[in-house]
Amino acid sequence: MKLTLEGLKDREGWKKAGVVLPSYDIAAARAETIRNPVWVHFGAGNIFRMFIGGIAETLLEKGFSKTGIVCAETFSFDMINEIYRPYDNLVLGVTLKPDGSVAKQVIGSLAEAISSTPAVPEAWARMKEIFASKSLQLISFTITEKGYALKNSSGDFFPYIVSDIEKGPEGAVSAMGQVTALLFHRFKSGALPLAVVSMDNCSHNGEKLKNSVTEMADEWLKRGFVTKDFISYISDESRVSFPWTMIDKITPRPSVEIGKKLEDSGIESMQPFVTEKKTFIAPFVNAEGPQYLVVEDRFPNGRPPLEKAGVYMTGRDTVNNVERMKVTTCLNPLHTALAVYGCLLKYTLIADEMKDRELSELVHRIGPVEGMPVVTDPKILSPKDFVNEVITMRLPNPFVPDTPQRIACDTSQKVGIRFGETIKSYVAKDGSASSLNAIPLAIAGWCRYLLAVDDEGNPFELSPDPMLEELCGKLKGIVWNKPESYTGQLKEILSNERIFGIDLYKAGLGEKIESFFREELAGPGAVRAALKKHLA
C-alpha cells in the first residue's frame, strides 16, 4: 500500500494495518479549499502536519468544515518537494502511547502545498490570489521562535532582513518579509479583515509576530514601498488581529523503528530520510497523545469552529496565563534542562533521563518547587495537574523517541522565556532571585554545554543555534579540566538582557551560575558531582 490518494483506495488493506482513513471526500474538500481558501499555515513541519492538520481533519470528519488548510513553506522547499507532493499531501499520524501501543490515522486535510517565494512567479501569484480571497479567515504559523526574529543579539538587522527591507514587498524572501508583503497585497485588494495567528511555542507569540510585521512595514514605509494607510490597517486589530496562543504537543523526529513497523504492516516507503537542507523527515509523524492549543478568540473575518476539535477558545489574559504556566514553568524549562544535561551526560533519549535520579530531581525542583510559586492559575487548566502529567507520564514515556539533542536546538532563543520569566517574577516579588538554585543550575548547565565537551571529556556536536558562533566565541580560553581557565568569560552572556530578558547579576544569580559552571569544569564526572551536590 502507498500513502497516496490512489493507494487509499485499498481501504481493506489499510484497515488490516490498523490505520484509520478519512471518511469525507478528500477531493471535494481540496477543490473547495482551492476555490475558497479559509486557512493558510506557514511552516510545513511535523507539529503542524499532525496537530494543526489533525484539528482541520477533525472538523472535516465531523462536518464542521468543508475546507482544509493551505500549507505554505518559505524556507524548506525540500519539505514540499520531498514529503508533500510525492505523498499527495497526505500524512500518516502515529500516536505513541505510554503502554507501547499506537494509534494510526491518515490525515487528508492538507489540501494544498506551496513553496512560497517571489522567486517562483507561479507560487507567488497563487499566494497573492489566496490573500486577496474574501473567504480567507486566518493565517497561522509554526516557524519556531527564531522565525520571527529580525535582529541579532546586538540589535542589528540580520543580513537577509536588510535585503528584504531594501528590495521591498516584491523581493522579500524571509517569512516575516513575505507575510508582510502578502498582507500589503490583501490591503490593496480591499483591506479585507484577517487573523494572523502564531502557534509557535514562545511567550506572547502574537505580540512577537505583530511587532515583526509592523517593524518590517515601518521600514518599507520609510523607503516608500508602502503607505501610511497600510500601517493603520495592520495596526487595527478590528481589521488585522494577532491573537495570542499556547500550543503543547511533544513531536519528536520520526523514529526509524516506527518506520520499519509501518513497512512491516504493508505500507510502502515509510523510512525517514534526510532532505537536501538536512531536515530529518518521514511520510509519517510520530507524537505523544496529550495535546493542548489555547487561542485568543479574536478573528475579525470569522473562523472555523476550532472548539469543536478540542481547541480552547478564550481571552488574551487566560492565554497568557496558560502559556506562562507551560512555557515558563511546567514543561519547557524542564525540557531545556534535560536537553543540555542530557548531552553532557551522553543520553540520547529524554525518557531515559527521567530514570536518572539527579535529572529527575532537577526537573522536579525547576517546575513544582521553584516555578510553581510564581505561576498564575489560568483556571481552564490546573498547573499542578499539568506539571504532574509532564513529570510522571509525558517525559518518561519510553515510546516517544525524543532526544536531548533535538530539544537543545536554538536554546539561546529560549532561555529568556523558559528561565528568565520566572527569574523576573522572583525579582518582582522578593527584590532578588537569589533564593533559586535549580534554575541557575540549569543555566550553568547550558553554559557548560556550549563548550561541546561531555562529562568524560569527549567532544560532541552542538545542536544548531543562531547564536552559536557568537556564544562559543565568548567562551574562548576556557579549558575543560582546568577550572582556573575560567576568568569571567560568562559575564557578557549572563548580563545580556537580550538573551535572558534580565541581567542575571542584577537578579542576584550571576555569581551563583559562575560558581556552578566552575565546578562543572573540574574534570571527569564534575557535572555529575555538581548535580549531586546541589540537588542533595
Side-chain angles (χ1 to χ4, degrees):
M1 297 176 294
K2 293 183 178 180
L3 184 63
T4 61
L5 293 175
E6 182 66 26
L8 294 189
K9 293 179 180 179
D10 181 11
R11 299 189 73 87
E12 189 60 32
W14 288 94
K15 182 178 179 181
K16 288 182 179 178
V19 180
V20 176
L21 298 183
S23 63
Y24 61 91
D25 188 331
I26 297 176
R30 292 185 173 185
E32 181 63 20
T33 304
I34 291 171
R35 285 192 300 267
N36 296 296
V38 171
W39 187 349
V40 174
H41 185 88
F42 289 86
N46 287 337
I47 193 167
F48 160 68
R49 293 165 69 206
M50 186 165 180
F51 190 1
I52 311 306
I55 290 170
E57 186 76 5
T58 298
L59 295 178
L60 284 164
E61 283 286 352
K62 292 183 176 181
F64 292 121
S65 177
K66 294 181 179 179
T67 59
I69 303 178
V70 176
C71 318
E73 179 57 53
T74 64
F75 176 70
S76 297
F77 299 148
D78 48 355
M79 288 276 291
I80 303 298
N81 296 331
E82 299 180 44
I83 210 65
Y84 277 76
R85 289 180 183 148
Y87 299 92
D88 292 336
N89 299 349
L90 298 171
V91 182
L92 180 54
V94 181
T95 299
L96 309 168
K97 301 181 180 181
D99 64 1
S101 64
V102 299
K104 295 170 282 187
Q105 174 191 18
V106 170
I107 297 170
S109 63
L110 311 186
E112 187 177 6
I114 303 172
S115 296
S116 179
T117 172
V120 180
E122 290 181 7
W124 193 239
R126 175 56 182 156
M127 291 300 293
K128 284 185 170 182
E129 180 183 26
I130 292 169
F131 269 72
S133 299
K134 292 182 179 179
S135 59
L136 187 63
Q137 295 180 327
L138 74 149
I139 61 173
S140 55
F141 302 79
T142 49
I143 57 175
T144 73
E145 187 167 1
K146 64 182 177 182
Y148 306 103
L150 303 184
K151 298 177 178 179
N152 60 25
S153 62
S154 300
D156 300 319
F157 286 115
F158 291 116
Y160 63 90
I161 297 297
V162 172
S163 176
D164 277 7
I165 290 171
E166 297 300 333
K167 290 180 179 179
E170 292 304 315
V173 297
S174 69
M176 292 298 95
Q178 287 194 38
V179 169
T180 309
L182 290 166
L183 286 173
F184 184 48
H185 182 71
R186 188 168 180 81
F187 166 74
K188 292 187 295 182
S189 302
L192 300 165
L194 187 66
V196 183
V197 190
S198 171
M199 294 182 178
D200 269 301
N201 179 21
C202 55
S203 180
H204 297 188
N205 49 18
E207 183 178 52
K208 291 184 190 304
L209 176 52
K210 182 175 184 177
N211 288 343
S212 294
V213 168
T214 54
E215 186 166 14
M216 181 67 72
D218 285 339
E219 292 298 324
W220 283 343
L221 177 65
K222 294 175 186 176
R223 290 159 178 79
F225 290 121
V226 302
T227 64
K228 289 184 179 179
D229 286 344
F230 173 60
I231 303 297
S232 298
Y233 168 68
I234 60 173
S235 301
D236 180 358
E237 291 224 359
S238 69
R239 293 192 288 174
V240 179
S241 66
F242 293 83
W244 295 13
T245 70
M246 189 287 291
I247 190 168
D248 180 28
K249 186 178 182 73
I250 297 174
T251 310
R253 64 188 292 177
S255 163
V256 172
E257 183 180 351
I258 294 293
K260 182 178 185 305
K261 288 181 178 178
L262 293 173
E263 289 183 338
D264 289 344
S265 72
I267 308 172
E268 298 178 30
S269 304
M270 284 291 109
Q271 277 300 329
F273 59 92
V274 179
T275 67
E276 290 181 2
K277 287 199 174 182
K278 308 303 180 185
T279 303
F280 193 80
I281 197 70
F284 65 91
V285 177
N286 44 225
E288 64 170 350
Q291 59 185 37
Y292 303 89
L293 179 59
V294 185
V295 179
E296 179 188 2
D297 199 354
R298 189 188 294 263
F299 290 77
N301 200 33
R303 62 171 175 80
L306 301 173
E307 67 278 3
K308 301 291 187 181
V311 179
Y312 294 85
M313 304 303 299
T314 184
R316 178 170 293 187
D317 287 344
T318 300
V319 174
N320 189 42
N321 290 337
V322 174
E323 182 272 331
R324 284 181 63 85
M325 176 197 76
K326 180 249 182 181
V327 176
T328 71
T329 301
C330 294
L331 174 58
N332 297 70
L334 284 57
H335 240 167
T336 293
L338 290 173
V340 295
Y341 276 109
C343 292
L344 290 170
L345 297 175
K346 301 177 68 172
Y347 279 103
T348 57
L349 195 65
I350 291 289
D352 287 342
E353 291 189 70
M354 292 303 291
K355 301 173 187 175
D356 185 299
R357 181 175 178 179
E358 281 75 45
L359 297 183
S360 178
E361 179 64 21
L362 177 64
V363 298
H364 177 77
R365 298 270 187 97
I366 291 172
V369 176
E370 294 188 350
M372 202 62 65
V374 293
V375 168
T376 301
D377 188 346
K379 306 301 181 184
I380 63 170
L381 294 172
S382 162
K384 182 178 179 181
D385 292 345
F386 191 95
V387 76
N388 183 64
E389 179 185 59
V390 167
I391 290 176
T392 63
M393 296 176 59
R394 297 175 65 185
L395 295 179
N397 185 342
F399 302 101
V400 174
D402 212 357
T403 68
Q405 290 74 24
R406 182 187 81 89
I407 302 299
C409 291
D410 305 327
T411 301
S412 69
Q413 308 300 295
K414 302 170 181 176
V415 289
I417 302 301
R418 301 187 178 190
F419 301 123
E421 290 301 306
T422 294
I423 292 168
K424 285 191 285 186
S425 294
Y426 269 86
V427 171
K429 180 171 69 80
D430 302 331
S432 169
S434 59
S435 62
L436 297 176
N437 197 59
I439 288 175
L441 189 59
I443 294 172
W446 174 52
C447 296
R448 172 66 179 79
Y449 158 89
L450 290 171
L451 295 179
V453 177
D454 69 24
D455 200 25
E456 296 177 2
N458 302 309
F460 65 87
E461 183 178 354
L462 296 173
S463 299
D465 188 306
M467 290 187 67
L468 209 54
E469 183 177 353
E470 177 183 346
L471 292 168
C472 292
K474 293 184 184 301
L475 302 183
K476 188 176 180 180
I478 300 176
V479 180
W480 176 80
N481 202 21
K482 292 185 178 180
E484 66 275 12
S485 66
Y486 178 73
T487 56
Q489 291 94 326
L490 290 185
K491 292 186 185 298
E492 281 190 51
I493 297 175
L494 301 181
S495 62
N496 192 334
E497 295 188 22
R498 288 185 175 273
I499 297 176
F500 293 101
I502 189 171
D503 181 332
L504 295 180
Y505 291 94
K506 293 179 181 177
L509 292 177
E511 290 81 3
K512 180 180 287 190
I513 294 169
E514 288 185 280
S515 176
F516 291 161
F517 177 79
R518 251 190 235 98
E519 291 179 32
E520 294 185 355
L521 274 180
V527 170
R528 175 67 70 182
L531 288 170
K532 287 183 176 180
K533 174 183 175 181
H534 297 291
L535 295 171

